[in-house]
Amino acid sequence: NSTFTKVITVEDRHGATSSCTSTITVIDKIAPDIQCQDVRYAITESGNPVIDYKDFIASVSDNCMTESEIMDLYSWDDSILPLNLDCSHVGVYNIKLLSVDVPNQNLRSCEAKLRVVNEVVPVLSCPESVTVHISSAIDFDPTKIPVVSAISPQCELTYDW
């Protein structure tokens, strides 16, 4: 909001004048414009991603504030989702960003999806050969043969025999 004083003067055809002073207040009622975009973060061999809320903003503008002033006002609520992601966060999340122009408190929000994926290839070690001694056909269960000696995933995985 801004306020300024203006002196208004009128003059008739004989040269007589009259003046008055008015205070004009301009009130901003226009909310910022914000457009969100979906974001994909990948957990990789080199480490886990760190969320940057600016990645979710495709564009933002306001009639009274610059883009950088608006961007500086954002914060991340890490009680909902931490900034540092790991395997426990693999999945899709709905993210809502709220844009506020200060001091007018005009609000606008947008929504985006955060997709966290695991791109770490598990390392599987198998013995070169396995010999199974069977004492009787009744004892034989092929699902219990120890053919995997080590699996080293960064994230949880499932496997079939």
Side-chain angles (χ1 to χ4, degrees):
N1 299 339
S2 60
T3 303
F4 58 95
T5 303
K6 185 72 175 172
V7 176
I8 302 169
T9 304
V10 294
E11 182 177 339
D12 68 13
R13 62 182 166 182
H14 302 291
T17 61
S18 179
S19 297
C20 67
T21 303
S22 292
T23 301
I24 300 169
T25 302
V26 178
I27 300 173
D28 176 17
K29 294 287 186 184
I30 301 171
D33 182 42
I34 182 169
Q35 303 296 319
C36 287
Q37 61 189 359
D38 294 345
V39 175
R40 180 180 181 273
Y41 283 122
I43 296 167
T44 65
E45 297 280 347
S46 60
N48 297 338
V50 176
I51 292 176
D52 185 349
Y53 65 85
K54 292 177 183 177
D55 292 343
F56 295 94
I57 300 172
S59 67
V60 63
S61 63
D62 185 61
N63 61 323
C64 294
M65 295 178 68
T66 67
E67 180 177 337
S68 63
E69 288 173 325
I70 295 171
M71 295 293 268
D72 288 343
L73 296 174
Y74 287 98
S75 63
W76 188 263
D77 184 354
D78 61 2
S79 67
I80 297 170
L81 188 65
L83 289 173
N84 295 307
L85 300 173
D86 61 31
C87 291
S88 67
H89 302 110
V90 170
V92 178
Y93 300 87
N94 293 317
I95 305 297
K96 184 175 185 176
L97 292 177
L98 184 64
S99 184
V100 181
D101 67 358
V102 178
N104 305 305
Q105 300 301 307
N106 298 316
L107 307 172
R108 181 157 298 146
S109 65
C110 64
E111 294 185 11
K113 292 204 180 302
L114 165 61
R115 183 175 310 277
V116 181
V117 296
N118 174 22
E119 291 186 349
V120 177
V121 177
V123 176
L124 178 65
S125 299
C126 299
E128 286 186 30
S129 64
V130 174
T131 303
V132 179
H133 298 280
I134 303 171
S135 59
S136 72
I138 297 171
D139 294 332
F140 181 68
D141 183 351
T143 64
K144 295 188 177 168
I145 297 173
V147 294
V148 176
S149 60
I151 300 175
S152 59
Q154 183 172 349
C155 294
E156 183 178 324
L157 69 103
T158 59
Y159 54 92
D160 291 324
W161 295 108

